[in-house]
């Protein structure tokens, strides 16, 4: 049975569209997510990622298209579908009137789960979220990272088969992010399908087996992080800074260096498979950037190429 | 955390129940949450809701009552002024409690605490949430009604065992207001709009034959008052308090039954548009 788990789609969206009047938040997107995969939706703010997530959760209807979550249409069978989903919303919506442990137990009650199951489960999840010592604390006494971990712990109370994470680490410090990533890896190992939106490229590279890049409601590209980089970018990127005033002017004189060139307000990016020799070419031509950096291409470059703008704007 | 997901787990079975996408028969989880949250909330707020009508009863009933003396009761018999206004104040308190719980409380949970948003990402449907919240409002209303009826008894304003029916009748009234209140609140976006609720409630409290009989008004005004829910509540409780029942009693009860049904339809429909849009 285990061998063919990955061949079965747990989410299947066909021509999914959500329109608010004239505006199309999600415009005719199709994708499949096999069981156990970690699937990312990448895109700038307002690209339609959260709307797509809401539709998967059955808390947002669709204008057109078909959606199948583990064999059911979430619009028709919201409660049954959500019984097997875990949801981490963009903004924490923990119950501030309840204590930390009670947040988990009460949330489990919403799924109709018995207390005999929930009490040990809550303790197990507090352990998982490294919050055992805060079990009796008030929610508003927790730090941002702790609240986020509690929200994730809460989303696991019903042993979900699919976990929806809407920008899970936004606003967290690096240490808290790494702790969270570690927890998400463990869930993936346990076979939970992860669907996450993010606008952090490193997060997407770390966590996603496969992702789609969404902009203005449409899918711009689809694939694994490495295949997307291979397809849409060169192996390395040379970053040059000439000072804000001069970047654009210098870009004109850099034509022909590397395979492709992108002039941003703060720097010039040269896409090439060999950054060091490109840099030699630049200095050989008598140009002296204030700073230069050769780095491996990342998803950020893919994103820039596809949408023509940086992610966090 | 060690559970491994198997192939057969990934095919869900849908049930084709009536209201399947709106209701999962689990309003008790919402009620349980409310009771647990009450533990940590401010008890003074709870108590004030009980004290307010008692203060009115003492001030108006004993103070003003000394000037007024006896008035004509529902059955035509003379009764003390305090006994005349006490059931009316009970109806007002049922209304206030239900409206407060189903408007301000709901408004806050909906717009600021994002409580319902979290609930609706679980197996709960909007109807579970509405029923649970309304039940909590009614529970509070029943507690106030019981306390107030006890005070009436201690003040010697109860003369018939029928008066025990004041408690369930108050809950009926509260149900009517709560089911509508929650639906109306769902339209509100700002605090300024919420103030309109008080703007409607205060005149209804003062003019619904609470402190004097309806007959003081010209006919046209009487019709308006008789269309409003509080008047039906006041009259219903006033009749019960002296054990006088007429055909009008049934009309009053029916008024609230219809109000509850319409209110629940409105609320569920609104929650659906708001959260499952």
């Amino acid at each position: 049975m285990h061998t063919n788990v990955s061949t079965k789609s747990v989410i299947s969206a066909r021509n999914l569209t959500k329109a608010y009047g004239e505006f199309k938040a999600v415009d005719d997107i199709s994708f499949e997510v096999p069981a156990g995969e970690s699937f990312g939706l990448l895109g700038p703010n307002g690209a339609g990622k959260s709307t797509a997530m809401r539709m998967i959760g059955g808390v947002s209807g669709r204008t057109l298209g078909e959606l199948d979550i583990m064999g059911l249409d979430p619009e028709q069978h919201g409660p049954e579908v959500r019984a097997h989903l875990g949801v981490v919303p963009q903004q924490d919506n923990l119950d501030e009137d309840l204590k930390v442990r009670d947040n988990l137990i009460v949330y489990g009650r919403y799924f109709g789960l018995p207390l005999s199951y929930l009490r040990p489960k809550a303790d197990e999840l507090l352990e998982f979220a490294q919050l055992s010592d805060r079990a009796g604390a008030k929610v508003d006494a927790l730090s941002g990272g702790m609240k986020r971990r509690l929200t994730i712990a809460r989303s696991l109370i019903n042993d979900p088969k699919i976990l929806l994470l809407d920008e899970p680490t936004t606003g967290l410090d690096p240490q808290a992010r790494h702790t969270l990533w570690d927890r998400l890896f463990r869930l993936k190992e346990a076979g939970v399908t992860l669907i996450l939106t993010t606008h952090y490229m490193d997060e997407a590279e770390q966590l996603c087996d496969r992702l789609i890049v969404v902009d203005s409601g449409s899918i711009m590209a689809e694939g694994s992080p490495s295949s997307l980089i291979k397809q849409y970018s060169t192996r390395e990127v040379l970053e040059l800074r000439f000072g804000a005033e001069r970047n654009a002017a210098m870009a004109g004189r850099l034509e022909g260096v590397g395979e492709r060139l992108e002039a941003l307000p703060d720097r010039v990016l040269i896409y090439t498979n060999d950054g060091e020799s490109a840099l030699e070419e630049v200095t050989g031509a008598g140009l002296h950037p204030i700073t230069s950096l050769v780095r491996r291409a990342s998803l950020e470059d893919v994103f820039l190429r596809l949408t023509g703008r940086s992610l966090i704007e | 955390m060690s559970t491994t997901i198997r192939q057969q787990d990934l095919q869900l079975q849908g049930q084709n129940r009536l209201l399947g996408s709106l209701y999962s028969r689990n309003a008790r989880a919402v009620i349980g949450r409310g009771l647990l949250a009450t533990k940590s909330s401010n008890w003074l707020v709870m108590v004030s809701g009980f004290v307010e009508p008692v203060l009115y009863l003492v001030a108006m009933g004993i103070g003003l009552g000394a000037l007024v003396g006896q008035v004509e009761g529902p059955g035509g018999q003379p009764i003390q002024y305090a006994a005349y206004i006490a059931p009316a104040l009970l109806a007002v308190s049922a209304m206030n409690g239900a409206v407060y719980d189903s408007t301000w409380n709901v408004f806050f949970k909906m717009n600021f605490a994002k409580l319902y948003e979290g609930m609706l990402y679980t197996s709960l449907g909007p109807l579970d949430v509405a029923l649970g919240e309304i039940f909590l409002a009614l529970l509070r209303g029943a507690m106030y009604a019981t306390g107030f009826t006890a005070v009436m008894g201690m003040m010697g304003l109860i003369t018939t065992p029928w008066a025990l029916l004041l408690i369930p009748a108050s809950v009926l009234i509260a149900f009517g207001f709560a089911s509508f209140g929650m639906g109306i609140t769902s339209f509100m976006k700002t605090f300024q709009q919420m103030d309109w609720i008080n703007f409607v409630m205060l005149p209804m409290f003062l003019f619904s034959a609470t402190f004097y009989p309806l007959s003081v008004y010209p006919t046209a005004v009487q019709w308006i008052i008789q269309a409003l829910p509080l008047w039906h509540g006041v009259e219903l409780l006033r009749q019960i308090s002296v054990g006088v029942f007429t055909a009008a009693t049934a009309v009053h009860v029916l008024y609230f039954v219809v109000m509850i049904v319409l209110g629940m339809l409105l609320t569920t429909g609104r929650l659906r548009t708001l959260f499952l849009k």
Side-chain angles (χ1 to χ4, degrees), chain A residues 1-2 4 8 10 18 35 54 58-61 70-72 76-77 79-80 82-84 87 93 95 97 106-107 109-112 124-125 161 187 190-191, chain B residues 1 3-16 20-21 24 26 29 33 36-37 40 113-115 117-124 275-277:
Chain A
M1 276 321 236
H2 276 268
N4 62 353
K8 165 93 182 168
V10 284
K18 175 76 181 183
R54 290 174 52 82
V59 293
S60 179
M70 293 180 279
L72 293 180
Q76 298 302 317
H77 300 281
E80 291 100 317
R82 288 194 296 273
H84 300 281
V87 178
N93 55 5
D95 198 328
D97 293 333
V106 167
Y107 204 75
R109 296 292 292 159
Y110 298 158
F111 288 101
E124 181 191 329
L125 286 171
K161 296 176 178 104
L187 291 172
Chain B
M1 229 42 55
T3 43
T4 308
I5 292 168
R6 291 158 307 165
Q7 174 78 64
Q8 62 266 34
D9 296 336
L10 298 172
Q11 190 62 42
L12 301 182
Q13 293 302 312
Q15 300 166 342
N16 287 310
S21 64
S24 67
N26 193 12
R33 183 262 160 206
L36 196 58
S40 66
K114 304 278 178 204
L115 184 72
E117 192 186 81
M119 286 180 169
L120 291 173
Y121 258 126
T122 69
S123 304
L124 294 176
F275 292 104
L276 303 179
K277 62 188 173 222

Side-chain angles (χ1 to χ4, degrees), chain A residues 19-196:
Chain A
Y20 297 99
E22 290 288 292
F23 172 69
K24 282 183 175 165
V26 170
D27 192 0
D28 194 24
I29 68 173
S30 303
F31 57 87
E32 302 265 330
V33 183
E37 190 178 62
S38 175
F39 182 79
L41 288 96
L42 246 69
N45 293 330
K49 299 172 304 215
S50 298
T51 310
M53 292 284 245
R54 290 174 52 82
M55 285 196 273
I56 294 170
V59 293
S60 179
R62 56 185 179 272
T63 317
L64 282 172
E66 283 170 54
L67 187 58
D68 181 303
I69 313 291
M70 293 180 279
L72 293 180
D73 176 350
E75 210 169 316
Q76 298 302 317
H77 300 281
E80 291 100 317
V81 169
R82 288 194 296 273
H84 300 281
L85 292 186
V87 178
V88 177
Q90 205 166 356
Q91 285 178 316
D92 292 325
N93 55 5
L94 294 165
D95 198 328
E96 306 258 344
D97 293 333
L98 304 178
K99 292 181 175 142
V100 168
R101 185 167 177 269
D102 288 339
N103 253 280
L104 300 178
I105 291 176
V106 167
Y107 204 75
R109 296 292 292 159
Y110 298 158
F111 288 101
L113 299 168
L115 285 172
S116 57
Y117 161 84
L118 288 171
R119 287 198 185 104
K121 184 76 185 172
D123 294 331
E124 181 191 329
L125 286 171
L126 286 174
E127 186 80 25
F128 174 77
Q130 296 169 300
L131 288 169
S132 298
D133 54 333
R134 301 294 181 125
K138 291 201 155 202
V139 168
D140 54 14
L142 300 183
S143 72
M146 288 174 176
K147 280 187 186 170
R148 211 63 188 139
R149 293 207 300 274
L150 181 58
T151 305
I152 291 180
R154 191 185 67 170
S155 73
L156 298 172
I157 196 80
N158 58 330
D159 268 329
K161 296 176 178 104
I162 302 176
L163 188 59
L164 306 178
L165 301 132
D166 200 352
E167 297 187 13
T169 64
T170 298
L172 297 187
D173 63 41
Q175 200 185 349
R177 292 178 77 200
H178 282 277
T179 312
L180 264 185
W181 287 351
D182 170 61
R183 302 295 127 161
L184 294 177
F185 271 124
R186 292 190 199 190
L187 291 172
K188 192 171 146 35
E189 280 170 3
V192 178
T193 306
L194 304 180
I195 311 290
L196 81 149

Side-chain angles (χ1 to χ4, degrees), chain B residues 49-50 52-54 56-57 82-98 140-153 158 162-174 177 205 210-211 230 233-238 240-241:
Chain B
F50 163 72
E52 199 182 288
V54 173
Y56 268 108
L57 182 60
Y84 180 79
I85 63 165
L89 290 169
L90 179 55
V92 170
S93 126
M95 170 180 85
N96 283 340
R140 192 203 276 227
M143 280 165 60
Y144 289 173
T146 309
F148 191 84
T149 308
V151 171
M152 283 172 69
I158 290 177
W162 286 113
L164 278 177
L165 285 178
L166 286 174
I167 297 166
S170 302
V171 174
L172 180 76
I173 294 167
F177 280 102
F205 161 49
T210 330
F211 297 108
L230 185 57
V234 167
E235 288 300 306
L236 175 63
L237 296 194
R238 197 167 271 156
I240 289 172
S241 73

Side-chain angles (χ1 to χ4, degrees), chain B residues 95-107:
Chain B
M95 170 180 85
N96 283 340
V99 167
Y100 180 83
D101 257 356
S102 66
T103 60
W104 282 102
N105 261 350
V106 166
F107 182 73

Side-chain angles (χ1 to χ4, degrees), chain B residues 81-258:
Chain B
Y81 183 63
Y84 180 79
I85 63 165
L89 290 169
L90 179 55
V92 170
S93 126
M95 170 180 85
N96 283 340
V99 167
Y100 180 83
D101 257 356
S102 66
T103 60
W104 282 102
N105 261 350
V106 166
F107 182 73
F108 180 78
K109 288 178 191 167
M110 204 179 270
N111 294 298
F112 297 95
K114 304 278 178 204
L115 184 72
Y116 301 143
E117 192 186 81
M119 286 180 169
L120 291 173
Y121 258 126
T122 69
S123 304
L124 294 176
L127 189 58
D128 297 286
V129 176
L131 286 175
E133 288 289 353
I134 287 169
F135 180 87
L136 287 165
L138 298 189
L139 189 66
R140 192 203 276 227
M143 280 165 60
Y144 289 173
T146 309
F148 191 84
T149 308
V151 171
M152 283 172 69
M154 285 185 277
M155 288 174 69
L157 302 176
I158 290 177
T159 51
T160 158
W162 286 113
L164 278 177
L165 285 178
L166 286 174
I167 297 166
S170 302
V171 174
L172 180 76
I173 294 167
F175 199 171
F177 280 102
S179 62
F180 246 90
M182 199 166 166
I184 289 170
T185 304
S186 67
F187 289 98
M188 307 289 183
K189 296 277 170 256
T190 65
F191 281 106
Q192 284 77 9
Q193 289 169 332
M194 291 299 288
D195 281 334
W196 281 92
I197 292 173
N198 290 354
F199 186 76
V200 172
M201 302 252 299
L202 186 65
M204 198 149 72
F205 161 49
L206 290 174
F207 301 121
S208 292
T210 330
F211 297 108
Y212 43 79
L214 189 69
S215 54
V216 302
Y217 296 120
T219 322
V221 177
Q222 287 188 18
W223 285 351
I224 297 171
I225 302 281
Q226 284 176 314
L228 296 174
L230 185 57
W231 178 78
H232 289 275
V234 167
E235 288 300 306
L236 175 63
L237 296 194
R238 197 167 271 156
Q239 286 189 319
I240 289 172
S241 73
V242 291
V244 172
F245 300 99
T246 63
T249 320
V251 173
H252 299 318
V253 170
L254 189 66
Y255 184 99
F256 282 101
V257 170
V258 171

